[in-house]
Amino acid sequence: MTKGINHVIRNATLGSAATLITGALAAGLLLAPSASAAPAGRDNGGAEAIGVQIAAARAARAGIDWKDCPADWGFEKPIQCGWVKVPLDYTKPFGKTIELAVDRAVSTGTKEERQGALVYNPGGPGGSGMRFPRRITTKSPLWVNASKAYDFVGFDPRGVGHSAPISCIDPQEFVKAPKADPVPSNEADKRAQRKLAAEYADGCKERSGEMLPHMTTPNTARDLDVIRAALGEQKLNYLGVSYGTYLGGVYATLFPTHVRRMIVDSVVNPATDNIWYQANLEQDAAFQMRWNDWQDWVAKNDAVFHLGDTRAKVEAKYQELRGKAKANPLGGVVGPAELIGFFQGAPYYDSSWVPVAQAFSAWAAGDEKPLIEAIAPDMSDTKGNAASENSNAVYTAVECADAKWPTSWAKWDRDNTELHKKYPFLTWSNAWMNLPCATWKSKQSTPIEVGAKRGIAPVLIVQSERDAATPYQGAVELHRRLAGSRLITEQNAGSHGVTSLVNPCVNTRVDAYLLTGKVDAQDVKCGPHATPVPPAPAAAKSLVEAPAAALPQHEELPAVVR
């Protein structure tokens, strides 16, 4: 993933690694793994509907052979790991199969308290959920109550990590820096980026062609139902964040009667015309809004950061940094593309506000070392670089396979040129990252019509108003499409991944839902979580002089729709 950051974050430009999260079943009623643990569902996929029923019944009989995790996976005891076999192509359930890596930490409560397994997806597409069980083993305060009732189960979705991983480019080449400035100065710059995008699409086909037609969200939802059956669960308990909300929405559509508890946090707009080209355009406006929020906060704390006492001054200082890095990349490796990969952490997560501002402040004070150490790729970290490249490959493969993208460069150019005028922070880097979908060499599907009007348990939707990666309208739209769902809105806030934040108004309702299945009689509006507090000026000065390794690190943040 990223140096010093444990979550997947948007790559600054193509090929760039950013350097920087029905009622309760009593325990005695849970079925042992068997065909009866795989009830028939309403998969809208035709032949796939039969295929997933066959695969789920097979998985229910086989169960999961839980063992200590392989040492090089990095998961300490008592976390256990295993495998679930799924068809590569659900229209051919007796054809080629792939194995999905899963892990778990068992519930901490009594037999009477246990309610089954809670399965997690952190987003992406391309994020691994395998760290989720550590919320039990590390006694994460927000999850202590839920951990008494549930085994926490993570998995690598198809194509990710240990689950038949795909690749589109040599990982060392992928992380090499500096990349070209994503903001084009002329038509030649655009032609160069278009060439890179086409080459990347070709690389995906060459390196992972067999997997590409099957790297869709509906197939991952089918995989999720097979995992449910392998766990011996009649119904699914699920927590999905960011892209994981779209995965959850698709699952609820295909298998509405299989949902027991479902929380979706920071929601992708599931409207078919939003998947995925329009979704990325809407992100550009939302990122600019949240970038402005961060700059306002930095300006308010000018006594600490000395970057300007107005948003305009902070932006001017950022443009100064960007210009100097373009002319002479910091440390020879940090140019504008790498900078945006780092700075976009602030619009994503409030927990990035302080460390990003500190590294920026250090540069302004004459010390570029913290920025270089935080951003520069580590070419010796071949394992981490492979994970970063794999994550980007899955992101591209899923979004390109889920929907038909515009093939006209004139449309891409027109749309992004107009957007850049008002929302310059992310627009062009976002465009280049997604442009391989314009020349994709594999099947592109029609997005599923997400929605469930009957037969589904209440779904809990959690969303902040000013989220950059998944704008607020997405939560409203999914809420409209899922009968009986409830929406919790965190007002005047914008951090991505609300359930990972301390906000009692949200936390108590998440716990109550997981433990009892109850939701409020109507939608709820919560106040914001606490705004980040910068260190005192003296402490800030000492951190400016410290290496980047001394800056606060992220932990257990969701991956994101990048």
Side-chain angles (χ1 to χ4, degrees):
M1 296 295 176
T2 60
K3 185 177 180 181
I5 305 293
N6 291 326
H7 62 282
V8 182
I9 200 165
R10 179 191 308 269
N11 295 305
T13 189
L14 184 65
S16 159
T19 51
L20 274 151
I21 120 159
T22 39
L25 291 175
L29 295 179
L30 290 174
L31 299 177
S34 68
S36 62
R42 182 176 64 85
D43 187 324
N44 295 336
E48 290 94 340
I50 299 171
V52 71
Q53 290 181 41
I54 292 170
R58 187 165 57 206
R61 289 190 296 269
I64 300 173
D65 184 15
W66 294 110
K67 296 180 178 179
D68 291 343
C69 299
D72 62 350
W73 287 17
F75 301 116
E76 69 282 2
K77 295 180 182 180
I79 295 173
Q80 298 173 304
C81 292
W83 301 93
V84 176
K85 190 174 293 187
V86 300
L88 174 62
D89 181 349
Y90 277 96
T91 68
K92 301 175 181 177
F94 299 106
K96 180 172 181 177
T97 59
I98 57 176
E99 289 192 310
L100 306 181
V102 295
D103 65 345
R104 72 171 181 181
V106 299
S107 59
T108 63
T110 65
K111 180 180 179 180
E112 291 71 27
E113 289 176 304
R114 187 178 183 276
Q115 297 190 40
L118 177 63
V119 184
Y120 175 70
N121 180 272
S128 167
M130 298 284 281
R131 289 180 59 83
F132 182 58
R134 298 195 75 248
R135 297 191 187 182
I136 288 183
T137 60
T138 61
K139 297 180 172 61
S140 175
L142 294 181
W143 298 95
V144 167
N145 293 330
S147 69
K148 294 177 182 179
Y150 296 95
D151 301 343
F152 281 17
V153 175
F155 73 105
D156 278 344
R158 58 172 54 207
V160 175
H162 307 291
S163 299
I166 67 169
S167 172
C168 292
I169 187 175
D170 177 77
Q172 295 298 99
E173 187 66 25
F174 176 75
V175 302
K176 192 180 294 183
K179 304 294 185 188
D181 184 350
V183 179
S185 299
N186 49 46
E187 291 301 313
D189 287 349
K190 293 180 182 179
R191 286 194 295 270
Q193 292 283 8
R194 292 174 64 190
K195 183 173 183 290
L196 285 173
E199 290 173 349
Y200 188 83
D202 290 344
C204 294
K205 181 68 172 180
E206 291 166 7
R207 297 170 74 98
S208 305
E210 183 183 25
M211 290 282 290
L212 297 186
H214 312 293
M215 291 293 297
T216 66
T217 301
N219 275 340
T220 302
R222 295 176 183 114
D223 292 345
L224 189 56
D225 201 56
V226 177
I227 292 171
R228 171 202 58 75
L231 289 166
E233 302 284 326
Q234 279 196 315
K235 296 193 176 187
L236 178 71
N237 304 298
Y238 175 77
L239 170 62
V241 186
S242 195
Y243 164 77
T245 67
Y246 183 59
L247 175 59
V250 171
Y251 183 90
T253 303
L254 298 180
F255 308 101
T257 61
H258 294 195
V259 175
R260 179 177 180 271
R261 306 270 198 276
M262 179 177 286
I263 300 175
V264 287
D265 171 3
S266 304
V267 182
V268 171
N269 186 332
T272 56
D273 59 1
N274 191 61
I275 306 298
W276 285 103
Y277 180 76
Q278 186 63 32
N280 282 279
L281 298 181
E282 291 182 0
Q283 276 188 330
D284 298 338
F287 263 95
Q288 190 70 48
M289 170 188 67
R290 197 60 180 159
W291 173 248
N292 293 346
D293 289 349
W294 177 74
Q295 289 184 322
D296 287 339
W297 175 85
V298 171
K300 182 180 178 181
N301 292 284
D302 186 50
V304 176
F305 301 120
H306 310 292
L307 292 165
D309 58 5
T310 65
R311 182 199 303 173
K313 291 179 181 178
V314 177
E315 175 66 20
K317 186 62 70 173
Y318 174 71
Q319 292 300 328
E320 179 187 345
L321 166 60
R322 194 182 177 287
K324 289 184 176 180
K326 183 172 183 176
N328 294 290
L330 280 60
V333 291
V334 177
E338 291 70 35
L339 286 173
I340 199 169
F342 175 69
F343 276 86
Q344 68 191 9
Y348 267 127
Y349 301 114
D350 288 8
S351 57
S352 291
W353 282 18
V354 171
V356 170
Q358 286 171 330
F360 188 15
S361 178
W363 170 83
D367 181 9
E368 62 184 26
K369 185 178 178 181
L371 273 179
I372 295 170
E373 290 189 353
I375 300 174
D378 180 357
M379 302 306 292
S380 68
D381 182 17
T382 54
K383 184 177 179 180
N385 295 341
S388 183
E389 189 277 325
N390 166 246
S391 174
N392 194 80
V394 174
Y395 166 84
T396 306
V398 172
E399 294 215 354
C400 293
D402 267 356
K404 295 175 175 63
W405 288 67
T407 58
S408 165
W409 165 245
K411 177 173 176 56
W412 287 75
D413 193 19
R414 179 176 64 252
D415 289 346
N416 287 282
T417 297
E418 285 302 308
L419 274 171
H420 178 77
K421 293 175 182 177
K422 292 181 64 177
Y423 313 112
F425 175 69
L426 197 67
T427 295
W428 277 114
S429 93
N430 201 8
W432 305 130
M433 182 169 180
N434 292 287
L435 190 58
C437 295
T439 58
W440 199 239
K441 300 301 193 295
S442 186
K443 178 183 176 182
Q444 293 184 315
S445 304
T446 299
I448 188 170
E449 188 70 48
V450 169
K453 297 302 182 185
R454 59 178 64 90
I456 186 171
V459 172
L460 188 63
I461 302 171
V462 187
Q463 178 77 33
S464 64
E465 280 187 322
R466 301 180 69 79
D467 191 316
T470 54
Y472 182 74
Q473 183 56 36
V476 175
E477 182 65 21
L478 184 62
H479 182 28
R480 185 182 71 80
R481 290 166 176 258
L482 296 180
S485 61
R486 288 292 179 268
L487 172 60
I488 299 175
T489 299
E490 190 185 31
Q491 297 180 298
N492 301 313
S495 198
H496 193 64
V498 181
T499 55
S500 66
L501 304 171
V502 176
N503 186 334
C505 178
V506 176
N507 307 144
T508 56
R509 286 176 167 84
V510 167
D511 272 351
Y513 174 75
L514 287 174
L515 297 177
T516 70
K518 293 180 180 178
V519 294
D520 288 273
Q522 55 190 351
D523 295 339
V524 175
K525 294 185 183 298
C526 292
H529 62 276
T531 301
V533 178
K541 185 176 186 297
S542 67
L543 277 170
V544 163
E545 296 168 350
L551 298 178
Q553 301 297 303
H554 297 271
E555 182 69 23
E556 283 303 309
L557 292 173
V560 295
V561 176
R562 303 166 300 166

